[in-house]
Amino acid sequence: MVTKIWSAIEKGDVQPVYLLTGTEQHLLDETVKKLIRAVPGMTSAEVNRFDLEEIPIQAVLEVADELPFLVEHKLIVAKNCSFLKATDQSKEKQNHQLDLLEKWLENPSPTATVVFIAPYEKLDARKKITKKMKKHAVVVEGVTLQGQDLTTWIMQQGKDKGIVFEKNEATFLMEMAGTDLLTLSTEVDKIAAYLAFKGTVTIDMIEQLVARTPEMDVFRLTDSFINGKKADSLAVYHDLIRNGEEPIMLTSLIASQVRLMIHVVNLRKKGYQQQQIATTLRIHPYRVKLMMQRSLPPLPILLKALNDLATIDLQLKTTSGNRQRRLELFLMNGL
């Protein structure tokens, strides 16, 4: 997991070569920041940065092998390593001499740390250079964190800022703010500043400082409605309306949640587990986990709710009258 590599970097264990891959850009950016802080005397302005769509790899290796000037150790970041994925070499903008890179990886410069960034979902594992890179580099996979990994990441982010997140508080923060890493990082920073960068985070503190996203509030609304908690669902609905949310948009989001529940019910009947459902539906596993923790209604009831929401959506778009009232009546009537 990425947090183990971060921990090693923070302890001063900086390796000569890193390969940062995956589409979770926040994890890749954070790794580079930690390396900057870990290299003695290094600042962001002193990092040698190369775009391999504009500069050939041999130019990067030349800089890496040069003795450092005014610093003890160089940090080089080379982004867009497209030669590591399945591409037509004839379409490459640069003529990368990959044979030189393969030899260099076997004996990298002792006075430089080179970070190769390949921000792609998959690399071509068949390529010789990919195999070589994975063998000699510390590989940081910027993949979407899920489940326990995401909870651990939040706790680690808090620790980096001098504050303590227990597991329950980290989970509650996800329920409040969602699973986007950049958003979560911003909220952790906000809580840390509130605590003056020391102390333990509480549920009350998160409720006070973290604004819920409309999507998370709609999840709460739908969850309350499905489970027969009319008062709770109406309370959330009224809060959303007071915050300026439109009934048409809310109807669409609620319908999206109900459709997701229908898919989860169907896939569970087929024996799918949490991760399999998340992969099939292409959603974050944490959303599936929240639904699987609930007792979802039978499929006919969910289908009726979806049909009713389609009717409300049509009414909102084609008729006049009290727009807020139509969705409110739906929530009051229940399933």
Side-chain angles (χ1 to χ4, degrees), residues 7-268:
S7 179
I9 292 172
E10 288 167 354
K11 293 176 182 177
D13 183 12
V14 177
Q15 299 299 309
V17 186
Y18 289 85
L19 171 61
L20 278 50
T21 183
T23 56
E24 189 59 75
Q25 190 62 43
H26 181 73
L27 293 180
L28 307 187
D29 293 342
E30 192 64 27
T31 302
V32 173
K33 290 178 183 177
K34 288 183 181 296
L35 285 167
I36 293 173
R37 290 194 292 266
V39 174
M42 183 60 60
T43 65
S44 182
E46 292 169 322
V47 176
N48 291 275
R49 300 179 186 271
F50 296 90
D51 184 345
L52 294 179
E53 290 185 351
E54 307 296 336
I55 302 295
I57 190 64
Q58 48 270 30
V60 177
L61 302 182
E62 287 178 9
V63 173
D65 287 336
E66 292 173 354
L67 290 175
F69 180 67
L70 298 179
V71 292
E72 296 180 9
H73 195 84
K74 285 187 290 188
L75 180 60
I76 300 169
V77 175
K79 67 178 183 178
N80 294 326
C81 299
S82 58
F83 52 79
L84 294 174
K85 64 176 183 175
T87 55
D88 184 352
Q89 294 297 324
S90 64
K91 295 182 179 180
E92 287 279 359
K93 294 182 180 180
Q94 295 297 324
N95 180 25
H96 298 296
Q97 296 181 21
L98 298 182
D99 54 334
L100 293 179
L101 176 58
E102 291 170 10
K103 293 178 181 178
W104 183 88
L105 286 169
E106 295 176 354
N107 187 29
S109 171
T111 58
T113 291
V114 183
V115 182
F116 296 97
I117 301 180
Y120 317 116
E121 187 173 352
K122 290 183 66 176
L123 303 183
D124 191 344
R126 300 167 300 175
K127 287 186 174 182
K128 183 179 178 181
I129 185 58
T130 305
K131 295 176 182 177
K132 204 86 167 182
M133 186 73 77
K134 287 187 174 182
K135 178 181 179 181
H136 294 284
V138 175
V139 180
V140 176
E141 295 185 348
V143 297
T144 301
L145 298 181
Q146 47 191 261
Q148 183 61 42
D149 286 346
L150 187 53
T151 304
T152 302
W153 180 84
I154 292 173
M155 296 168 72
Q156 182 63 48
Q157 287 289 106
K159 183 180 178 182
D160 291 346
K161 302 296 187 303
I163 61 176
V164 177
F165 271 96
E166 300 294 348
K167 185 175 180 180
N168 286 342
E169 283 67 27
T171 301
F172 185 69
L173 178 59
M174 284 190 286
E175 293 178 359
M176 286 283 286
T179 56
D180 178 72
L181 295 187
L182 183 57
T183 300
L184 287 170
S185 179
T186 301
E187 296 300 343
V188 171
D189 288 345
K190 185 194 302 181
I191 295 169
Y194 176 81
L195 285 171
F197 303 98
K198 60 181 179 180
T200 301
V201 180
T202 66
I203 296 292
D204 289 343
M205 196 178 298
I206 295 173
E207 287 185 324
Q208 178 184 348
L209 297 174
V210 178
R212 290 184 184 273
T213 63
E215 290 76 14
M216 293 306 294
D217 271 334
V218 167
F219 178 85
R220 289 173 57 220
L221 185 159
T222 310
D223 184 59
S224 299
F225 172 74
I226 291 296
N227 287 283
K229 300 177 182 178
K230 296 180 184 179
D232 290 345
S233 60
L234 285 169
V236 177
Y237 175 66
H238 292 149
D239 283 343
L240 286 164
I241 293 298
R242 279 193 293 270
N243 288 334
E245 303 297 343
E246 283 290 328
I248 290 179
M249 186 273 286
L250 294 177
T251 301
S252 176
L253 288 176
I254 294 170
S256 176
Q257 288 290 339
V258 174
R259 276 195 299 271
L260 186 56
M261 291 178 181
I262 291 171
H263 288 311
V264 170
V265 169
N266 277 327
L267 292 174
R268 288 186 72 178

